[in-house]
Amino acid sequence: MNDKINLAAKLALLENPYEPGIVGFLNDYKLQVVKVKGPFVWHKHDETDDFFLVISGRLTIHLRDRDIELEPGEIFVVPRGVEHCPEAQEETEVLLVEPRETVNTGDASGPMTAEPRLL
Amino acid sequence: MNDKINLAAKLALLENPYEPGIVGFLNDYKLQVVKVKGPFVWHKHDETDDFFLVISGRLTIHLRDRDIELEPGEIFVVPRGVEHCPEAQEETEVLLVEPRETVNTGDASGPMTAEPRLL
């Protein structure tokens, strides 16, 4: 993890949606790429904000009171404690930045909870 | 800062190289965009790693023992304490993620030190 990170090359290593891979670290944060397709689960992170940057495709982040629509080159930071549910109609590629110990499904857990893995 | 962030739109607000603008926050980190052209100054951050993601153009991050060449969609995280000097031949657009209190010139200070400003 002492070299540059090519996001497209790392994303090409992912086979399935919602199985993120760690591509680097920034202090006590992890940098992850993930493919999104279909709906995720409603969840929140009480201990951290949640950073999304769309690399390709189109991402909807449903909030309880509105939807955030993200295209490539757009970021949304979900504030801590705010319920959200990511969803994509077409396969969408995303960069995530969050504290190392953050669990993808937050308070929801369940079958979409992913184990940390390095790409 | 409660809406999505379009990086291209924010970058269009920057007039001069090496004058970063804050576009959002992630916990106690700031998200900044900056235009790079020409050489910056050699410096290091003893208290933090330093995240660079190239949005457009081409960025060289000189290290004392090698150069890192970044194209759009590529990230490099300079480890804390490591001397580095960013440089770009053509105007290059970059996303930076670093703790809120981080000073752009690190231990070097000098005329290229930028005051924090919100875009």
Side-chain angles (χ1 to χ4, degrees):
Chain A
M1 300 242 165
N2 195 18
D3 207 349
K4 72 177 179 179
I5 300 156
N6 182 295
L7 291 174
K10 292 296 188 182
L11 281 155
L13 300 175
L14 297 177
E15 293 183 355
N16 301 311
Y18 294 117
E19 294 181 0
I22 297 170
V23 298
F25 296 101
L26 171 68
N27 300 320
D28 54 347
Y29 282 65
K30 55 187 174 186
L31 313 176
Q32 289 188 124
V33 291
V34 66
K35 289 182 176 174
V36 175
K37 189 171 183 185
F40 196 53
V41 291
W42 280 97
H43 68 285
K44 62 186 169 77
H45 305 277
D46 283 329
E47 67 296 339
T48 182
D49 301 337
D50 211 2
F51 170 105
F52 296 80
L53 167 61
V54 172
I55 305 300
S56 75
R58 185 182 183 89
L59 179 68
T60 302
I61 300 177
H62 299 291
L63 306 177
R64 289 299 186 189
D65 63 344
R66 61 192 168 122
D67 287 344
I68 306 293
E69 303 284 356
L70 298 182
E71 298 190 347
E74 294 187 330
I75 291 170
F76 187 68
V77 180
V78 180
R80 67 180 65 199
V82 171
E83 288 183 294
H84 59 284
C85 180
E87 180 169 20
Q89 300 299 317
E90 57 177 304
E91 186 172 272
T92 292
E93 298 179 322
V94 178
L95 174 69
L96 304 171
V97 183
E98 53 193 15
R100 294 190 192 214
E101 67 276 15
T102 303
V103 175
N104 65 328
T105 51
D107 64 324
S109 69
M112 297 184 97
T113 300
E115 291 299 312
R117 63 168 174 151
L118 298 177
L119 284 185
Chain B
M1 299 241 166
N2 197 19
D3 206 350
K4 71 177 181 179
I5 301 155
N6 182 294
L7 291 174
K10 292 295 190 183
L11 281 155
L13 300 174
L14 296 177
E15 294 183 352
N16 301 311
Y18 295 117
E19 293 181 0
I22 298 170
V23 298
F25 296 101
L26 171 68
N27 300 320
D28 54 347
Y29 282 65
K30 56 187 173 185
L31 313 176
Q32 289 189 121
V33 291
V34 66
K35 289 183 176 175
V36 175
K37 190 171 183 185
F40 196 53
V41 291
W42 280 97
H43 68 286
K44 62 187 169 74
H45 305 278
D46 282 329
E47 70 294 341
T48 182
D49 301 338
D50 209 3
F51 171 104
F52 297 80
L53 167 61
V54 172
I55 306 300
S56 75
R58 187 182 181 90
L59 180 68
T60 302
I61 300 177
H62 300 290
L63 306 177
R64 289 301 187 189
D65 63 344
R66 61 190 169 124
D67 287 344
I68 305 293
E69 302 284 354
L70 297 181
E71 297 190 348
E74 294 187 329
I75 291 169
F76 187 69
V77 180
V78 180
R80 69 181 63 200
V82 170
E83 288 184 293
H84 59 285
C85 179
E87 179 169 19
Q89 300 300 317
E90 56 176 306
E91 186 173 271
T92 292
E93 299 178 322
V94 177
L95 174 68
L96 305 171
V97 183
E98 54 193 16
R100 293 191 192 213
E101 67 275 15
T102 304
V103 175
N104 65 328
T105 50
D107 64 323
S109 69
M112 296 184 98
T113 300
E115 290 299 314
R117 64 167 174 152
L118 297 177
L119 283 185

